[in-house]
Amino acid sequence: MTGKELSYIQQAVDLGKISGNGEFTRRCQAFFEQNYGIEKCLLTNSCTDALEMAALLCDIKPGDEVIMPSFTFVSTANAFVLRGAKIVFVDSKPDHPNMDESLIEELITHKTKAIVVVHYAGVACEMDAIMSIAAQHKLWVIEDAAQGIDSFYKEKALGSIGHLGCMSFHETKNIQCGEGGMLMINDPAMIKRAEILWEKGTDRAAFFRGEVNKYGWVDIGSSFLPSEVTAAFLWAQLEELKFIQSRRMSLWESYFQLFKDNKTNPELLSDTLQFFFIEGVKDLNITWQSTKNKGNAHMFYLIFKNESDRANYSGFLKSKEVLSVFHYQSLHKSDYARNHFPAQFERNLPNSDRYSDSLLRLPMFYELREVSRSLCSDQ
Ligand SMILES: *Cc1c(COP(=O)(O)O)cnc(C)c1O
């Protein structure tokens, strides 16, 4: 909480209109359009909503194939499965959980319609390579930038590079409003239809701007827009974005320095991997991937040699009353994939599985005041 959330909600109530697409919604959308050069933004009730809108806007039909990483949240897949798509999973990179762009092209068939990239931990995927593959094969690119607020790829904001981008303001993200999200529309040809899908399949948004003299049912759609109560809360957070981000960046840096200072076998140091040893936690090797890009400090995670090393360290932290958590389990190995995409279930995506088994997230939130040295020693 930044302190102004409740007073902005009060203001929204005082304005006498708390349904969607009001003053606070417009302020939040304009914030992203102006600060990040995004063509058009629409607030939604979640990033899941935004992904569902993206699947509708790309006209995904039963039998279409959509390529995405296996190491991601279920919503990335569900939005397209709801339209009848078959999901084709890509493995992660050896040195980062992001999708390995070198493995995309071999998965493209005449049924492929879209590539969904996920910027894990707010660290950008290789967008130049991905956009060029997509252009060659005439595919849509949707960025799942759920974790990507205020993060960039070659000076372009995440979510502003593909045809469409989706962001989350869920409580677990850097900026939040409980449940919330946003669709970023970078292809101007999609804006008009996006507004219609957003407003339950009607041209209500155009009507309120005075562009048509009555509104009605013109397309399919749903109620994707959040209420002004949600938007007012979000605005209070967005106003403090710089402050929140600088706090998170400095926490990330303290974690990094702490673990770096505690490495004890420097001969294993390479450009992208760092190993170290924690006294008191027997035989524990931690590696972590390229530290050149901390993204937007959405999370700080460690990668272990194997599942049992992760369990040992997680137990060690628990003994110090520090909560650490795993993350995604490979979607291609899920029960849903086993039952609905058996050929995907059979595939071998070793890097995705390795991150499922060995990645551990440390506490990372605005109110966290200090990163303790005790995380690296048994004292
Ligand atoms: C959080 C998250 C989502 C879902 O966001 P909601 O706003 O909770 O719907 C989707 N994809 C990724 C990569 C996420 O981290």
Side-chain angles (χ1 to χ4, degrees):
M1 297 283 279
T2 66
K4 292 213 188 121
E5 286 85 353
L6 295 179
S7 74
Y8 285 166
I9 288 174
Q10 183 65 53
Q11 271 185 43
V13 172
D14 292 343
L15 283 168
K17 181 187 184 294
I18 53 169
S19 62
N21 201 9
E23 175 58 27
F24 283 103
T25 299
R26 280 191 288 274
R27 264 192 227 175
C28 293
Q29 292 174 173
F31 179 90
F32 286 97
E33 288 161 4
Q34 285 157 17
N35 292 320
Y36 299 104
I38 297 163
E39 193 68 32
K40 175 75 189 167
C41 293
L42 293 172
L43 286 193
T44 56
N45 292 299
S46 60
C47 180
T48 304
D49 259 10
L51 288 159
E52 287 178 20
M53 286 183 72
L56 286 165
L57 281 166
C58 297
D59 243 329
I60 300 299
K61 297 232 155 46
D64 288 350
E65 293 179 7
V66 177
I67 295 174
M68 65 180 65
S70 179
F71 192 74
T72 184
F73 190 56
V74 290
S75 292
T76 320
N78 263 333
F80 297 86
V81 170
L82 279 169
R83 308 257 63 80
K86 176 187 156 194
I87 308 299
V88 177
F89 294 107
V90 199
D91 203 4
S92 298
K93 294 158 93 77
D95 61 353
H96 194 277
N98 276 347
M99 64 161 53
D100 187 339
E101 68 282 354
S102 72
L103 302 175
I104 295 174
E105 209 143 20
E106 66 200 51
L107 299 171
I108 295 173
T109 72
H110 65 281
K111 292 183 177 166
T112 308
K113 287 286 152 49
I115 302 171
V116 188
V117 307
V118 179
H119 304 295
Y120 187 77
V123 173
C125 293
E126 277 309 322
M127 292 309 290
D128 281 349
I130 294 167
M131 293 309 288
S132 122
I133 294 168
Q136 265 170 47
H137 297 270
K138 298 192 166 59
L139 305 176
W140 299 113
V141 175
I142 297 126
E143 296 177 74
D144 180 341
Q147 306 167 10
I149 193 168
D150 204 43
S151 194
F152 298 84
Y153 173 80
K154 300 186 177 172
E155 300 181 359
K156 287 188 203 146
L158 299 190
S160 74
I161 306 158
H163 299 93
L164 296 161
C166 305
M167 191 171 284
S168 175
F169 306 116
H170 184 265
E171 188 171 52
T172 51
K173 309 302 200 260
N174 294 24
I175 292 291
Q176 61 113 353
C177 56
E179 302 278 354
M182 185 174 72
L183 179 68
M184 293 165 269
I185 306 137
N186 308 315
D187 179 348
M190 286 176 158
I191 294 174
K192 193 174 168 209
R193 184 157 189 242
E195 254 187 358
I196 290 170
L197 300 177
W198 189 58
E199 280 272 27
K200 299 125 185 132
T202 73
D203 49 1
R204 192 159 176 262
F207 171 71
F208 281 117
R209 282 195 301 266
E211 294 165 16
V212 292
N213 54 19
K214 57 180 166 43
Y215 78 86
W217 186 16
V218 293
D219 202 334
I220 55 171
S222 191
S223 188
F224 289 117
L225 72 177
S227 91
E228 281 286 289
V229 175
T230 296
F233 189 109
L234 183 61
W235 180 246
Q237 295 254 316
L238 284 178
E239 275 193 331
E240 301 295 332
L241 175 67
K242 276 216 172 80
F243 198 55
I244 293 171
Q245 278 305 98
S246 80
R247 177 79 204 134
R248 294 184 77 105
M249 292 300 223
S250 96
L251 284 168
W252 197 101
E253 201 57 45
S254 333
Y255 269 131
F256 178 65
Q257 289 306 329
L258 178 73
F259 285 107
K260 206 169 137 206
D261 292 348
N262 279 275
K263 67 182 185 297
T264 54
N265 41 356
E267 73 277 10
L268 290 171
L269 262 178
S270 77
D271 242 14
T272 53
L273 293 176
Q274 314 233 14
F275 296 74
F276 58 95
F277 180 78
I278 292 179
E279 277 175 74
V281 186
K282 205 171 157 288
D283 289 337
L284 185 68
N285 275 316
I286 302 177
T287 79
W288 83 92
Q289 46 76 38
S290 177
T291 48
K292 286 181 191 132
N293 189 349
K294 64 182 144 185
N296 57 358
H298 174 61
M299 64 176 87
F300 189 91
Y301 60 85
L302 299 168
I303 294 171
F304 294 80
K305 213 167 48 185
N306 54 43
E307 209 169 349
S308 77
D309 276 4
R310 177 175 73 177
N312 281 344
Y313 187 59
S314 184
F316 166 77
L317 291 181
K318 197 174 171 198
S319 74
K320 294 173 176 280
E321 302 189 320
V322 174
L323 179 71
S324 57
V325 288
F326 316 156
H327 213 182
Y328 307 128
Q329 298 299 295
S330 292
L331 289 185
H332 77 288
K333 286 286 173 231
S334 62
D335 286 346
Y336 190 88
R338 187 210 313 265
N339 295 328
H340 297 268
F341 308 118
Q344 296 295 313
F345 183 81
E346 294 305 326
R347 286 179 57 216
N348 185 23
L349 306 178
N351 290 325
S352 177
D353 291 347
R354 189 163 54 80
Y355 296 120
S356 298
D357 290 345
S358 68
L359 186 150
L360 189 71
R361 294 177 288 161
L362 301 187
M364 173 59 88
F365 50 93
Y366 179 70
E367 292 86 354
L368 189 63
R369 281 293 152 229
E370 189 187 344
V371 167
S372 166
R373 295 188 55 76
S374 73
L375 298 185
C376 279
S377 82
D378 60 352
Q379 265 101 67

